[in-house]
């Protein structure tokens, strides 16, 4: 018998198993997938199903399928599956047995010990039920650890610094937020708060409800009592939700969804990210309230938080990451896969107990820089043409593809210039331009023509940027090699780049026709901002130069404008360097 101890995240929606091998965390796949749905079922002839196959039959045969058993742990009640009743421990044991078998297949030897994670709020009875489930699966549960502790271990493996971490865990059906204090050797949960009936599944339900409402209003038919149709809508909603984490629109196409008066009803809708985000805002608000309650419970404030760690699949929702950043003033970390981070931490704890060294967690590749474009947008309450619009944010796991919607601002605008920047400054002109391209031949339509811009960054640092007119599919793309590596000597070239972007920058997709004037305006605004800290002489120079640019603008003299903006750009460059 080996002394391997496996780490298990026995989740409400999915479960995972991991082990530390050669100092590194390995997530063990079960039937090719690293997430095992926490669903158990029986076929009509009584064959046991665990995982995805059980999940697939849930919508059609709920009477012989059990899911979310974690919610029932420790309540002493049995659940029905087929014509028999089982304790929650027994159902959980079937999931644990499947994970244990996968680990044994992976290792080629028997496994008898495990560390299993539970939510921080689990009572003694719930923890005991989890231990019992382990025993029933022939696993000695050497330790039960809190999920936020496991997450902290996964993120901080090998780091010795004292830190206060906020672990925000939003899964399919449960939410909790915990304040974790990490110090040398000790990791403790100071406070935890949540709602174990809140999660990504609620987001799916919002989408399903809107689809049902559309079917009623557009097709005069209510699918609510049609199990098969509702199952399809549920799956389509989840797929659309996941797509909206990376793109501004998601299409839902369900052909022959149901029949009305003998005629097939097809569902074809487009879901807009803004509409979707509006639907889920109340849920996000609730999680943020819980966050403050947890901080209060630990007698801390947002200013005390050193890091925010994201756990659970639903934290991939961009609106959640944005809201957390707004509230806490720090970008949440997602450099450990949010689905696998708790299992990784359990494996790290297991290795520590077994006396095996741990050198690395399952860190994913992330981009060290933010990539984005620029557009006319609100800045300090005023429209500013060079507002930086990040598409791929720093620390996002790669490979990644993200899309955003832009709109033309002029009637009949048939050309758009797209600038690609790398940097963190809200003013695109202070970032480094790494590419640009132009799309011509757009439809001659009023302002508001929808353009979808997509950034894809791969593991080799190759950035593909494309912009597409939504109505016609007209598209232009560029490839930028070495997007993540080329800035090592950034310091040196930064000033030059900044200057060149003043002269050549035509950052506003929507305003290319007014490029000279817009650029001049941006320079004036920049110069005015610099005036606040300038010496009296520099201030005077700035005022003179601004005056010349304004005169050139008024006289509509292109040459004079080029001359004056060049001079102003030179002066700004001199003042900034
Ligand atoms: P977990 O319980 O941690 O496995 O989380 C599962 C939940 O995360 C489910 O509701 C999934 O639909 C959701 N989820 C997974 N990937 C994404 C994504 N990219 N964007 C939004 N939600 C996601």
């Amino acid at each position: 018998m080996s002394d391997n101890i496996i780490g298990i995240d026995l989740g409400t929606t999915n479960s995972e198993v991991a082990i530390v091998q050669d100092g590194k965390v390995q997530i063990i796949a079960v039937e090719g997938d690293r997430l095992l749905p926490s669903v158990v079922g029986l076929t009509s002839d009584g064959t046991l199903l665990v995982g995805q196959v059980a999940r697939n039959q849930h919508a059609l045969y709920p009477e012989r399928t059990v899911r979310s058993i974690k919610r029932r742990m420790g309540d002493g009640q049995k659940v029905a599956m087929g014509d028999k009743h089982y304790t929650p421990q027994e159902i959980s044991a079937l999931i644990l047995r499947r994970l244990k078998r996968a680990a044994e297949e992976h290792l080629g030897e028997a496994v008898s010990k495990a560390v299993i994670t539970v939510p921080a709020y689990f009572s003694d009875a719930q923890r005991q039920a989890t231990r019992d489930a382990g025993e029933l699966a022939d696993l000695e549960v050497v330790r039960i650890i809190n999920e936020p502790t496991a997450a902290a271990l996964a993120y901080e493996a090998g780091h010795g610094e004292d830190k206060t971490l906020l672990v925000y865990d939003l899964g399919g059906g449960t939410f909790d937020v915990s304040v974790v204090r990490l110090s040398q050797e000790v990791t403790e949960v100071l406070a935890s708060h949540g709602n174990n009936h809140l999660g990504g599944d609620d987001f799916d339900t919002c989408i399903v409800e809107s689809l049902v409402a559309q079917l009623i209003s557009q097709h005069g038919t209510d699918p609510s009592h049609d199990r098969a149709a509702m199952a399809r809508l549920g799956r389509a909603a989840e797929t659309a939700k996941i797509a909206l984490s990376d793109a501004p629109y998601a299409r839902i196409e369900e052909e022959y969804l149901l029949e009305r008066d003998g005629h097939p009803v097809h569902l074809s809708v487009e879901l807009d990210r803004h509409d979707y985000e509006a639907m889920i805002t109340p849920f996000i608000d609730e999680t943020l309230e819980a966050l403050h309650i947890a901080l209060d419970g630990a007698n801390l404030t947002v200013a005390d938080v050193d890091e925010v760690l994201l756990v659970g699949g639903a934290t991939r929702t961009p609106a959640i990451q944005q809201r957390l950043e707004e509230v806490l003033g720090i970008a949440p970390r997602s450099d450990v896969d949010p689905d696998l981070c708790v299992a990784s931490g359990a494996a790290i704890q297991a290795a520590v107990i077994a006396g095996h060294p741990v050198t690395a967690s399952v860190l994913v590749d992330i981009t060290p820089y933010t990539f984005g474009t620029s557009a006319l947008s609100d800045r300090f309450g005023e429209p500013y043409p060079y507002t930086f619009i990040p598409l791929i944010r720093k620390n996002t796991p790669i490979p990644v593809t993200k899309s955003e919607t832009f709109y033309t601002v002029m009637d009949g605008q048939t050309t758009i210039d797209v600038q690609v920047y790398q940097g963190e400054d809200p003013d695109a002109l202070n970032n480094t331009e790494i590419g640009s391209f132009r799309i011509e031949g757009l439809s001659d339509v009023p302002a508001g023509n929808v353009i979808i811009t997509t950034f894809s960054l791969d593991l080799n640092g190759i950035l593909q940027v494309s912009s597409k007119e939504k109505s016609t599919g007209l598209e232009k793309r560029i490839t930028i090699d070495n997007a993540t590596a080329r800035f090592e000597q950034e310091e040196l070239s930064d000033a030059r780049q900044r200057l060149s972007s003043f002269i050549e920058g035509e950052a506003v997709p929507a305003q290319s026709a007014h490029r000279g004037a817009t650029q001049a305006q941006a320079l004036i605004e920049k110069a005015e901002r610099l005036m606040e800290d300038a010496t009296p002489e520099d201030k005077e120079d700035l005022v003179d130069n601004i005056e010349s640019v304004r005169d050139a603008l008024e006289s509509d003299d292109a040459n004079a404008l080029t001359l004056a903006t060049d001079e102003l750009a030179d002066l700004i460059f001199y003042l900034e360097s």
Side-chain angles (χ1 to χ4, degrees), residues 211 215 219 233 252-255 257 265-269:
L211 296 176
L215 281 164
H219 299 275
L233 287 181
I252 298 177
E253 301 281 355
E254 291 292 322
E255 300 220 321
L257 182 65
V265 173
H266 308 303
L267 176 71
S268 171
V269 275

Side-chain angles (χ1 to χ4, degrees), residues 13-14 16 35 169-173 199-201 204 238 241-242 245 312-314 316-317 338-339:
T13 318
N14 295 301
E16 298 86 38
L35 305 185
D169 183 350
L170 189 65
D201 298 349
D204 302 345
E238 184 179 13
K241 169 188 78 174
I242 290 174
S245 285
R316 293 199 180 90
T317 310
D339 290 317

Side-chain angles (χ1 to χ4, degrees), residues 17-33:
V17 57
I19 188 153
V20 172
Q21 277 184 302
D22 302 325
K24 292 205 183 93
V25 176
Q26 303 275 334
I27 302 289
I28 298 169
V30 189
E31 276 150 24
D33 208 330

Side-chain angles (χ1 to χ4, degrees), residues 1 166 190 194 306 352 355 393 462 506 570:
M1 180 80 50
L166 196 87
L190 300 181
D306 296 311
V352 171
R393 287 177 184 274
I462 298 169
E506 38 183 280
D570 276 344

